[in-house]
Amino acid sequence: MAAGGPPVTAGGDVEFDSFFKNYCQYVNARCTGANPEWTHIPTPRRTDLNTACEDWYTCYSRLKTAHTSSDVLAKNLARARDEKVLRNFNNEFILYSFVAAPQEKEDLGNHIRDEHPTPVPAPTAQAEADIVLPGPHLVEPRIRRLASLEPDPDRANYGIRIYWGVLGEPDAADKFRIQTPPLTGEDLPHSTFTHRKKFRFDFPEEDRGRTVYFCLQYENAKGGEQGKGLWGPVFSAIIP
């Protein structure tokens, strides 16, 4: 769970109700008894948590039978205020606490950051794109992966950097136009990064009829030269 609250708070009411009850039971079990495992949570704060859970369920349970729009509104308001109580409690006493063990934090829905993540190697694959022209001054590269003899098991972690440049003389619309057709992506002045399979460019009206060149390169989250793959082929389109 990232800082800010248990991930289930983004789920439906049924999931949230079950999560909230289990969360309170887990906390209460570790804070009570003759020799409680946790002594770092003040009783009033635990009472506030349980009260919030009861408040939520009181409003939520009304929707299990015939109910009105006012009941729905009351439930939504209860969820908003009681999520906040839960989130603050979790951040203060669980997520950032040195008392709760990592497994206990995970049991309560927290995602624990991996301090030693597996390094993602540089991409080995190449990419190019099919060009679609959806309308006037619109150019949309639809990215496809080129066949590769090398396995690339980490491809799901990669994005695509699209390098591009418009052929012509520099002007106010684009001070970095290219003067000659590029040989590689290094010859292109602009770039944009995406995780999508397609990316739509909307060029200025004055660029209609000009040639735009593209070159693609896979890139991992590391970025920089060490995170880049091989250049794909250069391709072009006439801006409609």
Side-chain angles (χ1 to χ4, degrees), residues 36-110:
E37 298 177 53
W38 291 349
T39 58
H40 69 296
I41 304 176
T43 299
R45 293 298 302 278
R46 188 160 48 85
T47 299
D48 290 344
L49 177 71
N50 292 324
T51 299
C53 187
E54 293 170 2
D55 173 58
W56 153 254
Y57 185 74
T58 297
C59 296
Y60 168 65
S61 62
R62 291 174 186 156
L63 272 61
K64 296 184 177 182
T65 58
H67 56 273
T68 66
S69 58
S70 297
D71 293 326
V72 175
L73 176 60
K75 181 271 297 181
N76 291 340
L77 293 174
R79 175 155 178 176
R81 64 175 173 265
D82 296 327
E83 272 190 13
K84 184 177 181 179
V85 173
L86 172 58
R87 184 179 301 112
N88 291 340
F89 181 95
N90 183 77
N91 287 340
E92 183 174 355
F93 299 114
I94 307 300
L95 183 58
Y96 300 120
S97 168
F98 294 103
V99 177
Q103 186 58 56
E104 292 174 320
K105 295 178 182 180
E106 291 187 5
D107 290 343
L108 285 171
N110 294 280

Side-chain angles (χ1 to χ4, degrees), residues 178-214:
I178 53 177
Q179 305 300 303
T180 58
L183 299 178
T184 73
E186 293 178 341
D187 299 326
L188 295 170
H190 307 294
S191 76
T192 186
F193 182 83
T194 182
H195 283 287
R196 293 181 286 176
K197 297 292 186 183
K198 58 185 179 181
F199 193 93
R200 178 172 294 185
F201 290 86
D202 187 354
F203 291 98
E205 183 70 21
E206 54 266 34
D207 278 349
R208 297 183 68 179
R210 297 180 186 268
T211 300
V212 57
Y213 288 88
F214 298 97

Side-chain angles (χ1 to χ4, degrees), residues 104-169:
E104 292 174 320
K105 295 178 182 180
E106 291 187 5
D107 290 343
L108 285 171
N110 294 280
H111 174 70
I112 307 303
R113 180 184 299 175
D114 186 356
E115 299 296 338
H116 303 284
T118 302
V120 177
T124 60
Q126 293 174 287
E128 64 177 351
D130 299 310
I131 291 293
V132 175
L133 306 175
H137 48 78
L138 299 178
V139 179
E140 186 174 280
R142 297 190 175 180
I143 299 163
R144 57 187 174 89
R145 179 185 174 87
L146 292 177
S148 174
L149 297 178
E150 293 186 59
D152 211 354
D154 294 293
R155 60 184 177 273
N157 296 315
Y158 302 147
I160 286 283
R161 186 165 293 280
I162 304 173
Y163 291 82
W164 58 278
V166 177
L167 191 64
E169 292 296 326

